[in-house]
Amino acid sequence: MARREIPEINAGSMADIAFLLLLFFLVTTTMEKDQAYIRDIPEESKVPPENQEIQTRNVFHIYANNKDQLLLVDRNGPGNSVPVKNIENLSEDIYKWYLSNRKPINKKMADMFPNPGNNESFPQYYGMSAKDCEIEIEKFEKSLTQIKDPVKSKTVAKDIREYEVKSRLFKKFYGDDEKVQLINVKAHIRIEIQPKTSYELFTQIQSEVEEAICKVRNEIALNQFGETYEKIRTKASIENDKKYDEDRKKQKLLQILVPQRVIEILTKK
Amino acid sequence: MSKFKKNSRGGGPTVNTASLPDIVFMLLFYFMVATTSKEVDPTVKLIQPKARYTEDLTPYKQRSEIDFIYIGKPNKSSREQEFPEGALSLDNVAQTSRDPDDLYNTEKIGEWKTQKFDAKKLKTNKPIGEIVTCIKADKDTPINIIWKIREKLEDVKALKIAYAVNQKGRKKE
């Protein structure tokens, strides 16, 4: 019996179908990725704030008014504010604010910031080791048994969790006893704006803040791990991959060493 | 007496197009991978400010843990007078509400956010505080309007906010 020939399928229109699909995707998608600054809105606290004075050295206070003018409030000591002429230089100032009092990590830093610890208008650093963290946790746990107020005990429990993370990371990367340099717990960047400040200026300030923090983290990451923070962050953002767990730990450590504490407030006066 | 044989059939040789679909498919896959889907077109016009050192929102979009709010001038220029500070466009309120004016109302944001969250509940098991609200605003928007939104979001405990910008090239070192 003669073999029947299989009829050939005309594939000429296949290209047309593929083109249709291609055009559909071209039309419905965008090339540019959404870029943004992600921030947390502070939760309204039920516990009345303890009236504690915050030294001006611990606050990097940026003030933008209705006319989009910038001022660094009390930067050179109380009552001594500095106007900002060029916003591009703001990140430089924040970078200095972060690192001036830190123990220098390399020679470049040592040249750039002489006599660390003695600069009066910048926040102080303190040392803490994994062991110190464990002592703190013990203290907190003791106090937790005596607190009856549920709101307060919740905040203490949160503190304990934070210290646990710290002690685990310090132990991993620095061992038990090495004192890790940490910035003053109250040190923060404060962005104060008025109602008519433009969104553009606001994002520019955010950009400068982000740039400074990124640079400080890069500096420390390069010294510690031999690669930049940005690289670590990109790897850490790949989810569900065990290969990058190490990078996620590194990222967490850098976020603890150089905390991004930004407070945004609107003043109506 | 030509030296070259003439094609007996007159026309030129046919080009084999069998691999054309493969090439097109390759292009197709490239675009599928390299692009992200557009969200709803906003009903306002806006030019985003440019800034550096931003965070990419693509992972949040893929997990659909993000909602968008647009602030800018209304598309209909006849309505521009009504919103001197900039009009507001929530990505899907227009579909759920019969009143077109709701589009531009800050009061509705809390309601809108909880509605969006309820719709997402089945997909994600994250609390509302982890769902990002991204604000895409025109560069001349007064910050006042953004703070009103923040307050409304705070009321419903949606505590993650993102300020959208266009990425600008790095400053030269």
Side-chain angles (χ1 to χ4, degrees):
Chain A
M1 211 172 117
R3 284 183 73 192
R4 198 181 289 168
E5 229 175 89
I6 302 163
E8 212 174 292
I9 298 167
N10 186 7
S13 56
M14 179 99 118
D16 299 342
I17 296 166
F19 264 121
L20 271 177
L21 274 170
L22 178 63
L23 284 178
F24 171 73
F25 271 95
L26 277 176
V27 171
T28 55
T29 59
T30 52
M31 232 9 189
E32 59 197 75
K33 286 176 176 156
D34 282 312
Q35 300 283 337
Y37 300 110
I38 298 174
R39 295 280 179 271
D40 291 318
I41 303 172
E43 205 168 343
E44 203 185 336
S45 78
K46 289 173 189 101
V47 191
E50 291 156 46
N51 220 347
Q52 42 190 213
E53 202 123 307
I54 298 173
Q55 285 174 297
T56 49
R57 67 193 298 182
N58 286 331
V59 189
F60 194 93
H61 192 159
I62 307 161
Y63 178 68
N65 71 1
N66 282 333
K67 288 175 191 148
D68 278 4
Q69 290 160 326
L70 280 177
L71 190 71
L72 299 181
V73 180
D74 294 345
R75 191 78 294 271
N76 291 342
N80 213 340
S81 303
V82 190
V84 180
K85 286 190 193 89
N86 188 357
I87 189 164
E88 303 267 303
N89 298 335
L90 197 57
S91 74
E92 214 46 37
D93 291 339
I94 301 170
Y95 183 78
K96 263 188 217 152
W97 179 80
Y98 262 108
L99 286 175
S100 281
N101 278 336
R102 197 182 200 279
K103 243 185 228 163
I105 46 174
N106 53 29
K107 203 177 167 293
K108 188 184 133 206
M109 288 289 124
D111 291 342
M112 212 167 156
F113 306 109
N115 57 41
N118 301 321
N119 297 301
E120 276 186 14
S121 43
F122 302 106
Q124 284 284 18
Y125 272 80
Y126 65 98
M128 189 168 226
S129 64
K131 261 195 187 141
D132 295 335
C133 287
E134 271 156 33
I135 294 166
E136 287 293 317
I137 294 171
E138 258 172 53
K139 261 193 226 160
F140 273 122
E141 269 165 358
K142 250 183 211 159
S143 70
L144 195 60
T145 52
Q146 284 156 9
I147 297 170
K148 291 199 177 70
D149 183 18
V151 181
K152 220 170 196 177
S153 66
K154 219 176 177 181
T155 54
V156 172
K158 205 176 143 201
D159 284 340
I160 292 176
R161 249 175 291 134
E162 265 169 36
Y163 273 112
E164 276 169 355
V165 173
K166 266 186 206 170
S167 87
R168 221 176 307 134
L169 286 171
F170 291 172
K171 199 177 270 176
K172 182 172 165 50
F173 291 106
Y174 295 94
D176 270 330
D177 296 311
E178 196 184 329
K179 296 259 186 200
V180 184
Q181 289 273 301
L182 291 171
I183 200 164
N184 188 298
V185 281
K186 293 206 183 73
H188 65 272
I189 297 162
R190 180 185 296 240
I191 303 173
E192 192 179 347
I193 41 179
Q194 285 196 311
K196 287 213 172 82
T197 308
S198 73
Y199 182 67
E200 187 174 27
L201 183 74
F202 181 67
T203 51
Q204 263 173 357
I205 298 170
Q206 297 282 10
S207 171
E208 295 296 313
V209 169
E210 203 75 24
E211 181 179 351
I213 291 171
C214 207
K215 273 190 180 156
V216 178
R217 283 180 183 165
N218 273 349
E219 208 71 64
I220 294 170
L222 272 176
N223 185 59
Q224 185 92 29
F225 307 117
E227 56 186 345
T228 61
Y229 169 71
E230 284 156 280
K231 230 179 189 173
I232 294 171
R233 186 173 74 171
T234 320
K235 280 193 274 179
S237 70
I238 302 167
E239 280 213 1
N240 306 327
D241 197 337
K242 286 236 159 65
K243 201 165 63 184
Y244 299 113
D245 276 352
E246 185 77 14
D247 291 299
R248 274 187 273 278
K249 275 177 197 151
K250 284 179 189 172
Q251 187 191 21
K252 190 85 210 151
L253 177 78
L254 287 165
Q255 281 168 355
I256 289 168
L257 293 179
V258 188
Q260 184 206 51
R261 286 195 283 256
V262 182
I263 296 178
E264 299 150 350
I265 35 174
L266 183 77
T267 41
K268 297 226 162 97
K269 54 180 175 191
Chain B
M1 55 166 275
S2 61
K3 277 185 180 169
F4 307 102
K5 259 185 214 161
K6 279 217 174 108
N7 203 333
S8 54
R9 270 195 292 151
T14 53
V15 179
N16 187 8
T17 56
S19 57
L20 188 61
D22 300 341
I23 295 165
V24 179
F25 269 117
M26 243 158 59
L27 271 173
L28 176 66
F29 287 135
Y30 169 72
F31 277 100
M32 281 171 70
V33 171
T35 60
T36 51
S37 66
K38 235 184 249 175
E39 332 104 40
V40 193
D41 273 335
T43 53
V44 290
K45 287 179 277 191
L46 55 91
I47 302 164
Q48 285 186 20
K50 285 198 163 78
R52 288 184 304 267
Y53 292 93
T54 51
E55 208 169 318
D56 189 6
L57 294 180
T58 315
Y60 294 94
K61 277 170 84 176
Q62 282 167 346
R63 283 177 266 141
S64 63
E65 284 168 12
I66 192 160
D67 302 313
F68 289 90
I69 294 176
Y70 299 87
I71 308 168
K73 291 253 157 16
N75 271 345
K76 276 190 201 153
S77 48
S78 57
R79 300 197 70 178
E80 248 173 56
Q81 297 298 320
E82 291 171 53
F83 307 99
E85 287 198 334
L88 205 69
S89 159
L90 312 176
D91 58 6
N92 75 344
V93 164
Q95 294 152 31
T96 57
S97 161
R98 282 187 197 92
D99 184 6
D101 284 325
D102 273 357
L103 266 171
Y104 306 113
N105 199 344
T106 18
E107 298 299 314
K108 294 275 172 180
I109 285 188
E111 203 184 301
W112 165 78
K113 184 76 190 171
T114 36
Q115 263 177 23
K116 295 278 279 184
F117 177 65
D118 287 339
K120 275 189 192 113
K121 239 181 211 163
L122 296 170
K123 270 188 263 168
T124 56
N125 43 10
K126 292 216 168 145
I128 192 164
E130 298 270 303
I131 310 280
V132 184
T133 312
C134 180
I135 295 183
K136 283 192 178 180
D138 186 78
K139 60 187 174 61
D140 296 322
T141 314
I143 215 80
N144 199 13
I145 194 163
I146 289 163
W147 241 253
K148 273 186 207 154
I149 295 168
R150 262 180 74 130
E151 280 161 19
K152 290 283 174 297
L153 289 174
E154 201 184 323
D155 290 342
V156 293
K157 296 254 175 328
L159 296 173
K160 262 204 163 37
I161 195 167
Y163 307 111
V165 288
N166 265 347
Q167 201 177 28
K168 168 166 87 173
R170 291 284 166 87
K171 218 191 279 183
K172 285 205 178 86
E173 300 279 323

